[in-house]
Amino acid sequence: MTTSEKIALVTGATRGIGTETVRQLAQAGIRTLLAGRDASRTTAAAKTLQDEGLPVEPITLDVTDSASIAAAVESIQSRYGKLDILVNNAGILVDEMGKAPSQQTLDTWRTTFDTNVFAVVELTQALLPLLKAAPAARIVNVSSQLGSFGLHVDPSSSIYHFKIPAYNVSKSAVNAWTVHLAYELRDTPIKVNAIHPGYVKTEMNKGAGEIDVPTGARSSVEMALLGADGPTGSFTHLGNTLPW
Ligand code: NAP
């Protein structure tokens, strides 16, 4: 069975930008699956939004676990038969602050890439048949301006000194993956875009961010709701193009 209702999935949505992205998509009338790796925290986060009257469903999904991905895909297939919007939001930052780029451990690199890169590729590959079953799916990859080569080589850029290598390079890889997938899907109605949410006050930066969470979710939501004339293969923040 394929539902006529629009269906969205947001990963890493138990807190922060993810929860707010779910809220804003659901406020736009889209049935939104709030995905998280811990079942009880996922159910609790979804209930908060359901209590606001929003069309939100919890779904357990650890993006680094192939069995969990397979179970989520099967659940979406059997309940809805398609997926209109995928927001790859789950992410981690585990570099040790203050350590030189050459001193971060390989374990840090591997752990970071498992969540921020390989999980994005694996989940997207697994969901592609359901995305193709929707009339005009949108894939949003939550990247970061810290993944921008253009900004990292520019001594006048505000992030020039933020050399957090495993995290930053993982987001550069997300950007490159976005371009490659957009190329593959260029003759389909599917659009694939990367966004920078802004420097947002969340647990990831212990509240040190500069903008509030609702504003931080806007770039993801705007790209999730893009019309047919919108871009694909872009990297933006609140509609402004960022340097690769
Ligand atoms: P956050 O508050 O730390 O939230 C991260 C979310 O990802 C949590 O819900 C976490 O779930 C989830 N997650 C981590 N590993 C997961 C896994 N294996 N499977 C499923 N979920 C997993 O961070 P945030 O600031 O909202 O970040 C959201 C996204 O924005 C990330 O991709 C981040 O890199 C990006 N971003 C953030 C900023 C910023 O200033 N905050 C700037 C640029 C980009 P648990 O609770 O289970 O750990």
Side-chain angles (χ1 to χ4, degrees):
M1 179 214 68
T2 301
T3 177
S4 57
E5 195 178 20
K6 260 196 177 185
I7 309 297
L9 173 72
V10 182
T11 67
T14 47
R15 63 171 193 248
I17 297 166
T19 307
E20 183 60 29
T21 302
V22 172
R23 176 183 279 114
Q24 292 182 21
L25 288 173
Q27 284 171 340
I30 295 162
R31 180 155 303 277
T32 307
L33 310 180
L34 183 155
R37 60 180 153 179
D38 179 273
S40 60
R41 282 190 289 118
T42 303
T43 305
K47 182 163 186 318
T48 302
L49 299 181
Q50 288 164 346
D51 289 347
E52 295 173 17
L54 296 170
V56 171
E57 315 282 347
I59 184 166
T60 306
L61 174 56
D62 180 339
V63 295
T64 61
D65 179 342
S66 299
S68 179
I69 289 176
V73 172
E74 172 54 33
S75 165
I76 299 168
Q77 167 66 50
S78 62
R79 282 195 283 171
Y80 307 110
K82 60 150 188 173
L83 184 64
D84 297 277
I85 294 166
L86 168 62
V87 182
N88 285 306
N89 171 81
I92 58 169
L93 193 173
V94 293
D95 293 74
E96 286 185 54
M97 294 302 164
K99 262 194 178 178
S102 64
Q103 300 304 305
Q104 302 289 345
T105 66
L106 258 189
D107 191 42
T108 293
W109 281 87
R110 290 197 170 106
T111 304
T112 303
F113 267 63
D114 277 346
T115 301
N116 292 6
V117 184
F118 303 138
V120 171
V121 175
E122 183 175 4
L123 180 64
T124 306
Q125 287 176 338
L127 286 169
L128 213 44
L130 288 171
L131 291 158
K132 286 180 173 172
R138 303 288 179 252
I139 300 170
V140 181
N141 293 327
V142 180
S143 179
S144 169
Q145 65 174 352
L146 291 173
S148 165
F149 277 4
L151 295 177
H152 272 295
V153 297
D154 176 0
S156 71
S157 105
S158 62
I159 64 145
Y160 184 67
H161 294 292
F162 287 80
K163 298 293 193 269
I164 309 164
Y167 180 80
N168 294 357
V169 178
S170 76
K171 294 301 189 181
S172 306
V174 167
N175 286 351
W177 160 245
T178 300
V179 169
H180 283 68
L181 186 63
Y183 170 82
E184 176 182 333
L185 299 173
R186 67 194 182 286
D187 294 327
T188 77
I190 302 176
K191 294 185 187 294
V192 190
N193 291 292
I195 64 96
H196 166 56
Y199 188 31
V200 189
K201 293 178 199 294
T202 66
E203 280 188 43
M204 182 168 280
N205 50 48
K206 311 278 182 275
E210 290 166 351
I211 63 172
D212 62 23
V213 175
T215 309
R218 275 180 47 204
S219 295
S220 290
V221 172
E222 283 172 12
M223 284 297 163
L225 301 180
L226 268 188
D229 57 347
T232 189
S234 75
F235 178 33
T236 60
H237 169 62
L238 293 175
N240 297 309
T241 298
L242 294 171
W244 297 107

